[in-house]
Amino acid sequence: EITDDGVIDMELIYTVLFIIPTIWIGPYWLLMLSEPTSERTRDWMRGNSLFIGPLAVWLITAILEPSGLIDLVTGNPTDFLDTMVEILGTESGTVLAWSHFVAGDIMATRWMWRKAIENQIGVSKTRLIVFFGVMLMPVGLLMHVILNSQDKTSHSEG
């Protein structure tokens, strides 16, 4: 959108860029959650197309506003945290961080989903891991470790 004075509304652009990774990942996440053992879910989880949305947003944002990343790698190493705070406090920095988080979360969640299916821990446990893998990754990872190890222990004892 161009304002009355001919300036492009970057806030709107960054808002749209912020939303795109979540919308892109949503169907993949919902399939792992709703149909964890279906063939359709397995088909969708093959390959790396699920990363295209977040990666594209990250690259577009980095091109639109490269100064933050340039400052990060060329600045004084002792000021690294201050530079990170400054970058993350901007609209472009927030979009960069969000697309990074979404890409990492879906990568880790897909891995945890695959391991849960491979270990046959059950649909309810798989759904729990997937849900927290996307919503609160540290909890999802903890649940992955606990639920997968419990299942292996019960198999080896039985």
Side-chain angles (χ1 to χ4, degrees):
E1 178 180 329
I2 299 178
T3 60
D4 292 338
D5 57 358
V7 177
I8 296 174
D9 184 1
M10 291 306 290
E11 183 177 355
L12 177 62
I13 291 170
Y14 287 129
T15 300
V16 170
L17 286 171
F18 181 86
I19 294 168
I20 289 172
T22 305
I23 292 171
W24 183 273
I25 292 301
Y28 295 97
W29 179 70
L30 285 172
L31 268 176
M32 285 188 289
L33 191 61
S34 64
E35 302 177 15
T37 59
S38 78
E39 193 59 40
R40 176 170 57 167
T41 303
R42 289 173 201 217
D43 288 344
W44 275 49
M45 293 304 125
R46 284 190 185 101
N48 294 312
S49 61
L50 68 161
F51 301 113
I52 292 171
L55 286 174
V57 165
W58 194 94
L59 288 170
I60 290 166
T61 305
I63 290 167
L64 286 173
E65 186 56 51
S67 63
L69 293 174
I70 292 169
D71 291 347
L72 190 62
V73 295
T74 61
N76 183 343
T78 61
D79 295 333
F80 180 79
L81 287 179
D82 291 335
T83 305
M84 283 296 297
V85 168
E86 191 175 312
I87 293 168
L88 292 173
T90 65
E91 292 166 349
S92 62
T94 300
V95 172
L96 287 170
W98 184 247
S99 58
H100 175 105
F101 295 156
V102 170
D105 281 357
I106 197 65
M107 179 185 297
T109 302
R110 179 176 71 169
W111 173 77
M112 292 186 299
W113 164 80
R114 281 183 176 162
K115 295 308 277 182
I117 297 301
E118 181 182 302
N119 292 336
Q120 300 177 356
I121 67 169
V123 171
S124 296
K125 290 177 182 178
T126 302
R127 285 181 175 150
L128 206 57
I129 289 168
V130 168
F131 177 80
F132 282 105
V134 172
M135 298 306 288
L136 198 56
M137 180 53 70
V139 174
L141 282 169
L142 179 62
M143 295 183 96
H144 165 76
V145 169
I146 291 169
L147 295 175
N148 276 281
S149 65
Q150 282 181 344
D151 196 63
K152 286 181 179 177
T153 303
S154 65
H155 282 313
S156 63
E157 292 173 357

